[in-house]
Structure formats: C-alpha cells, structure tokens
Amino acid sequence: AMYGRAAEYTAEYASQERSLIRQRRQARAAGNYFAEPESKLMFVIRIRGMCDMHPKSKKILQLLRLRQIHLGVFLRVNKATQEMIKRVEPYLAYGYPSLKATRELIYKRGFGKKKT
C-alpha cells in the first residue's frame, strides 16, 4: 500500500511538471510570458544570534522553530508565516527551494515529525 501511494505521488508530480513545461512552451510559441506558479514551500535559516533582540522577535523565532543560529526549517508559504518572517527578517535568510534542493537537504540532514 505504501509503495502504491508513492508511485501515485510520483506520477502526479511528473504530470504536473509536464503540464508546466507544456504551458511554458505554449506561451513562448504565442509570444507571451508564462507566470510561474507561486511556491508552496520555503526554506528559512537563522543567520544571527540573540544580541539585543526584541521579545516579540524572540517569540516569533521560537514559533518558527529557529532557536539557534544556523538552524534551518521548511515552512509552508501562507499569509501568517510571511508576516512573521517580515517581522524577523534581519535574523533570517530564506528562499524557495527547487525539488532537487529540497530532496538533497532532507536526505543529507533531514528528520521529520509526524503529527499524531
């Protein structure tokens, strides 16, 4: 059952990728621009320590699970997380990783938490 679900996900991702490529090609053929879909996942890493930090900023970093310098987490992109990141931007570096980069990060250093 587990492998069947994984195969379904793989097929779904492949079809999404193919449809994106098709849409890009159609736009190029028609002389238009293709607006890439917004990313659903972001990787955030803490780059500064705790010196002279506002208590609210400290709390936001705790909520983002970034208690230490050089810690990185994957976050879902939504209004709430974007507002929190805007507030603590001087202490963070963030970006939208590709599937390859995500896979490499998780394989090399990742560990997951399963919500019960």
Side-chain angles (χ1 to χ4, degrees):
M2 186 91 165
Y3 295 116
R5 189 175 299 155
E8 282 178 30
Y9 284 138
T10 307
E12 184 182 333
Y13 287 133
S15 73
Q16 283 178 351
E17 196 64 36
R18 281 194 304 271
S19 74
L20 273 175
I21 290 167
R22 191 181 67 247
Q23 289 170 336
R24 284 190 198 108
R25 284 178 182 160
Q26 285 173 346
R28 196 178 309 131
N32 297 326
Y33 290 105
F34 178 67
E36 296 288 332
E38 296 233 345
S39 184
K40 294 187 180 82
L41 186 75
M42 83 171 42
F43 185 72
V44 183
I45 190 165
R46 172 108 178 242
I47 55 171
R48 279 185 60 195
M50 298 281 273
C51 244
D52 303 329
M53 193 185 289
H54 191 273
K56 194 155 195 169
S57 301
K58 201 179 287 187
K59 182 65 179 171
I60 289 171
L61 287 170
Q62 284 177 0
L63 289 171
L64 294 174
R65 307 187 309 270
L66 294 167
R67 294 167 195 273
Q68 253 182 324
I69 193 167
H70 303 307
L71 270 183
V73 292
F74 287 103
L75 295 175
R76 188 173 283 132
V77 178
N78 57 31
K79 184 89 169 115
T81 55
Q82 284 178 323
E83 290 300 314
M84 288 199 288
I85 283 173
K86 202 182 293 177
R87 178 79 195 243
V88 292
E89 205 162 7
Y91 305 97
L92 305 175
Y94 65 96
Y96 306 96
S98 65
L99 184 61
K100 180 176 183 269
T102 305
R103 188 175 285 140
E104 284 175 358
L105 277 166
I106 290 173
Y107 283 159
K108 182 164 181 160
R109 291 286 170 142
F111 58 92
K113 288 185 188 159
K114 193 173 123 185
K115 290 184 181 178
T116 52

